[in-house]
């Protein structure tokens, strides 16, 4: 009777430890990293490179951070992905951050369903491998013969191994602290003069303003300064669709008094153009992506970047807690055996 009870307890310990390990294996990935889910400056290679640098498994979670109303997340078939078509979608998410759990292995295809966004590079393919949590019980099973032999010397390694288990598990926990503390990297708000000395004018080439913005990190609290001649130009902030069509119908804001100073108050994409007829189509337009908040570690108005920063530590924390729990359970059952 005692032997049967011992075997039952040992088997239960193995199953519980395996379940804890399986739950810890889940990882969360923020699509595009700090870039978020937006029209990328470098085309679809931005998301291709991001995906190739990660290993996805069944059960993992993708987090899409985007500006609500000008982007969405649409999961499609490969044919529609290649054609940048949002017809017959498998999934559509319009609220941010969108969390998508990868429930099956194989390739998964995501695009932005807004017209023109996919063809501009807002698309990503992730290759999902089968869950890696299944083989985890195998190492645990190797410790089960010790109770069956019921030899006193065989029991000695078990407490030693369980005693050493918590030691490595504390390493990921301590590692979480610096990664989840963006405070040291926070900077004070900055003021950017659009296009520097060239100012807000009809550019010599259409890419001038985007080239100027490409090397800069805009954050909530920063200020844009538009220098131009009064009466010759103005600054209109518009929606993504209006920006693409070079139209100023129902602008978000319009200023014609230079220098125009615009404080960036929200994260996400912001679109500006000159509303004087013909100026936008000649290249006088600018789009920027605003992330985080200058001078603050946890901006209350920018949940998307925050979730991107905090998402990666979660699997590590879960793994460390699972390791400690599994070790504790095994210690209890070893004590009961002897």
């Amino acid at each position: 009777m005692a032997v049967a009870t011992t075997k039952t307890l040992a088997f239960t310990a193995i199953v519980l430890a395996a379940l804890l390990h399986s739950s810890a294996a889940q990882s969360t990935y923020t699509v595009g990293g700090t870039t978020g889910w937006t029209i990328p400056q470098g085309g679809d290679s931005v998301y291709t490179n991001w995906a190739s640098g990660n290993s996805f498994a069944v059960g993992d979670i993708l987090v899409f951070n985007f500006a609500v109303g000008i982007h969405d997340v649409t999961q499609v078939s490969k044919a529609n992905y290649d054609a940048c078509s949002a017809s017959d979608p498998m999934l559509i998410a319009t609220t941010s951050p969108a969390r998508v759990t990868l429930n099956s292995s194989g390739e998964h295809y995501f695009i932005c369903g807004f017209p023109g966004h996919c063809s501009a590079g807002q698309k990503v393919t992730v290759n999902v491998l089968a869950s890696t949590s299944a083989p985890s019980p195998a190492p645990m099973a190797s410790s089960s013969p010790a109770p069956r032999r019921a030899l006193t010397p065989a029991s000695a390694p078990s407490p030693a191994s369980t005693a050493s288990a918590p030691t490595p598990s504390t390493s990921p926990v301590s590692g979480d602290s610096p990664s989840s503390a963006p405070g040291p990297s926070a900077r004070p708000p900055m003021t950017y003069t659009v296009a520097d000395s060239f100012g807000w004018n009809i550019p010599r080439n259409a890419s001038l303003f985007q080239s100027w913005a490409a090397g800069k990190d805009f954050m909530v609290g920063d200020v844009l300064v538009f220098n131009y001649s009064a009466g010759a130009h103005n600054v209109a902030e518009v929606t993504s669709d209006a920006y693409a069509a070079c139209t100023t119908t129902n602008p978000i804001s319009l200023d014609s008094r230079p220098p125009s100073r615009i404080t960036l108050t929200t994260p996400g994409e912001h679109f500006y153009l000159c509303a004087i007829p013909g100026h936008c189509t000649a290249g006088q337009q600018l789009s920027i992506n605003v992330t985080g908040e200058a001078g603050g570690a946890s901006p209350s108005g920018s949940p998307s970047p925050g979730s991107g920063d905090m998402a990666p530590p979660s699997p590590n924390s879960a793994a460390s807690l699972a390791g400690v729990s599994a070790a504790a359970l095994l210690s209890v059952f070893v004590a009961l055996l002897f």
Side-chain angles (χ1 to χ4, degrees):
M1 182 67 179
V3 174
T5 302
T6 298
K7 290 182 177 180
T8 301
L9 292 174
F11 177 75
T12 303
I14 293 170
V15 171
L16 288 174
L19 289 174
L20 287 170
H21 179 78
S22 175
S23 64
Q26 183 186 80
S27 298
T28 300
Y29 297 93
T30 300
V31 176
T34 56
T35 300
W37 184 238
T38 184
I39 297 176
Q41 298 286 344
D44 59 6
S45 63
V46 171
Y47 293 112
T48 300
N49 293 337
W50 171 83
S52 64
N54 293 291
S55 179
F56 306 98
V58 172
D60 288 349
I61 297 172
L62 300 181
V63 178
F64 293 79
N65 291 322
F66 57 91
V68 176
I70 60 175
H71 298 294
D72 65 19
V73 180
T74 304
Q75 185 174 3
V76 296
S77 64
K78 184 180 187 305
N80 285 340
Y81 179 86
D82 293 338
C84 276
S85 171
S87 60
D88 299 322
M90 303 173 187
L91 171 150
I92 297 179
T94 57
T95 57
S96 178
R99 297 173 63 87
V100 179
T101 302
L102 302 172
N103 293 319
S104 60
S105 59
E107 291 190 317
H108 295 247
Y109 304 92
F110 302 92
I111 66 173
C112 177
F114 279 69
H117 289 204
C118 173
S119 57
Q122 196 173 359
K123 55 193 296 189
V124 64
T125 302
V126 297
N127 187 27
V128 181
L129 304 176
S131 176
T132 57
S133 61
S136 59
M140 298 299 299
S142 63
S143 63
S144 59
R148 286 201 295 269
R149 289 196 299 269
L151 297 177
T152 303
S155 64
S158 298
S161 61
T162 56
S164 62
T167 302
S169 69
T170 58
S171 178
V173 175
S174 62
D176 284 347
S177 298
S179 64
S180 61
S185 63
R187 60 163 176 77
M190 296 182 63
T191 298
Y192 295 95
T193 300
V194 175
D196 300 321
S197 59
F198 181 78
W200 184 238
N201 295 292
I202 297 176
R204 293 181 291 271
N205 61 76
S207 63
L208 186 147
F209 291 110
Q210 290 312 123
S211 297
W212 170 82
K216 296 173 175 59
D217 181 22
F218 301 100
M219 303 184 74
V220 172
D222 289 347
V223 177
L224 298 181
V225 178
F226 294 78
N227 290 323
Y228 55 92
S229 299
H233 303 290
N234 56 32
V235 182
E237 183 173 3
V238 296
T239 64
S240 173
D241 290 339
Y243 180 84
C246 274
T247 177
T248 54
T249 304
N250 299 321
I252 298 171
S253 66
L254 179 63
D255 189 15
S256 57
R257 296 167 297 177
S260 296
R261 297 177 60 88
I262 298 178
T263 301
L264 303 173
T265 58
T266 58
E269 286 187 298
H270 294 252
F271 303 91
Y272 305 94
L273 54 80
C274 179
I276 303 296
H279 288 203
C280 175
T281 55
Q284 195 174 357
Q285 57 178 175
L286 168 69
S287 67
I288 63 171
N289 187 38
V290 180
T291 61
E293 182 172 8
S298 301
S300 59
S302 54
S304 297
S307 63
D309 292 339
M310 296 301 295
S314 299
N316 295 337
S317 301
S320 62
L321 292 175
V324 173
S325 300
L329 285 171
L330 290 177
S331 298
V332 171
F333 283 109
V334 168
L336 290 174
L337 293 177
F338 300 99

